[in-house]
Amino acid sequence: MKKITLLIVLFTYTVQSQNFPNPYCEITEANNVSVEEITAVNFGTTSITNTDSASVLINETSTIVNVSQEQVLTLEVSGNTYGDFNTDIVAFIDWNQNNTLDDAGEIYQIGTITNSTGNDGVTVFLDVTVPVNAVLGNTRIRITKTYQDANSPAEIDPCGILFNPFGQGIFAGYGQALDFTLNVTSLSVIEFDINALTVYPIPTRNILNIEYKTDINTIEIYNLLGEKVYVKNSNTKNIKLNISNLSSGLYVVKLLANKGQYNFKIFKQ
């Protein structure tokens, strides 16, 4: 258990920017939060690194990640726990664009980081599916990182870095939050150009070559039971997939690009 100082006096938090995080909530108890930083966020093919260990809420809203309705992307986060402690990572995404970050279906518990410097390869990750009814256009995603232990659970709250030490009430905790932007597009109006796709050899043994006219963001392979058996995040037009570890049989390959998605079958010899 970390050393905890329970402050009774309430401080007035001075907003340093009139624009950010509007129209979304500020972290109002920020003066009392002990910052333990988020060091990196990867979403799809976009990477964000953070070295700010002073600010409670990080403004990365200029970073825009293009996503499409029904697209599946991996969200991966790392952070500094400042010793052998646990910090919970939660993502909040305003899919319905009502300026509220924790409606039903908008909260994603990514996992718990334990005993990490934030730069040692320790991460937590989760596949996030963009809802088919997600409102098109730019919206906000917020990642929170909050200390917790068995006696002091973290609060799931997009507007605070909060925990409940020994059941004594909700107090400002240890952690950080980071905001960036998603641009939601519709697959129904963005088509994948099948004529510009080349895949060889089929059937294949070890290496599957994929070539397309624009960058392919993600390649996923599923067995006939619908289980994902392979995923690769990419940002290139020409890709060589090493699938030598897959068993012989039929598979479905899903290609995800900024200009739509396309599925096809392969036979692995």
Side-chain angles (χ1 to χ4, degrees):
M1 178 68 191
K2 294 192 177 185
K3 180 180 178 181
I4 300 170
T5 301
L6 303 182
L7 300 179
I8 305 301
V9 179
L10 296 178
F11 293 92
T12 301
Y13 178 61
T14 302
V15 177
Q16 297 185 6
S17 170
Q18 296 302 315
N19 297 319
F20 176 79
N22 291 336
Y24 294 91
C25 59
E26 183 62 87
I27 296 185
T28 55
E29 82 294 345
N31 279 353
N32 299 331
V33 171
S34 297
V35 175
E36 294 184 350
E37 66 271 18
I38 297 168
T39 54
V41 177
N42 298 305
F43 196 30
T45 61
T46 300
S47 297
I48 299 170
T49 58
N50 173 53
T51 58
D52 186 341
S53 59
S55 303
V56 174
L57 180 57
I58 302 299
N59 181 5
E60 280 285 343
T61 53
S62 62
T63 300
I64 300 175
V65 182
N66 294 315
V67 302
S68 300
Q69 292 169 330
E70 299 185 89
Q71 186 177 4
V72 181
L73 302 98
T74 300
L75 177 59
E76 183 177 22
V77 181
S78 57
N80 192 348
T81 65
Y82 286 85
D84 191 6
F85 303 110
N86 301 323
T87 54
D88 286 352
I89 307 297
V90 181
F92 304 87
I93 308 176
D94 187 16
W95 295 124
N96 60 13
Q97 297 186 31
N98 68 346
N99 302 334
T100 301
L101 288 162
D102 57 355
D103 291 330
E106 295 185 343
I107 303 172
Y108 299 85
Q109 294 179 257
I110 310 301
T112 300
I113 298 174
T114 301
N115 193 20
S116 174
T117 65
N119 297 296
D120 51 12
V122 176
T123 67
V124 290
F125 57 90
L126 181 74
D127 284 346
V128 174
T129 301
V130 182
V132 65
N133 61 344
V135 176
L136 304 184
N138 285 353
T139 193
R140 186 72 58 87
I141 175 171
R142 176 170 293 178
I143 311 293
T144 62
K145 174 182 176 292
T146 310
Y147 165 79
Q148 59 90 3
D149 62 36
N151 298 309
S152 306
E155 292 292 306
I156 298 177
D157 186 344
C159 305
I161 304 299
L162 304 166
F163 73 147
N164 187 350
F166 302 102
Q168 296 301 304
I170 307 304
F171 293 88
Y174 302 79
Q176 193 176 61
L178 184 149
D179 285 13
F180 59 103
T181 303
L182 303 184
N183 176 37
V184 182
T185 59
S186 173
L187 287 177
S188 63
V189 297
I190 299 179
E191 297 183 356
F192 194 97
D193 186 357
I194 301 174
N195 294 326
L197 176 67
T198 301
V199 179
Y200 64 95
I202 296 179
T204 186
R205 291 185 181 273
N206 298 317
I207 302 297
L208 181 66
N209 296 280
I210 301 173
E211 299 174 1
Y212 190 55
K213 66 179 182 180
T214 61
D215 290 348
I216 295 174
N217 297 331
T218 306
I219 305 98
E220 299 172 348
I221 300 179
Y222 297 80
N223 62 24
L224 295 186
L225 297 176
E227 300 168 327
K228 187 188 297 185
V229 295
Y230 183 97
V231 61
K232 179 180 178 64
N233 292 323
S234 176
N235 194 25
T236 61
K237 302 176 184 179
N238 301 314
I239 302 165
K240 292 182 179 293
L241 298 184
N242 186 342
I243 58 173
S244 58
N245 290 333
L246 296 183
S247 302
S248 298
L250 282 171
Y251 294 90
V252 176
V253 180
K254 177 185 287 188
L255 305 179
L256 300 170
N258 288 335
K259 298 297 183 180
Q261 71 176 30
Y262 180 64
N263 299 350
F264 60 91
K265 291 183 180 180
I266 62 169
F267 183 76
K268 166 67 166 57
Q269 291 181 328

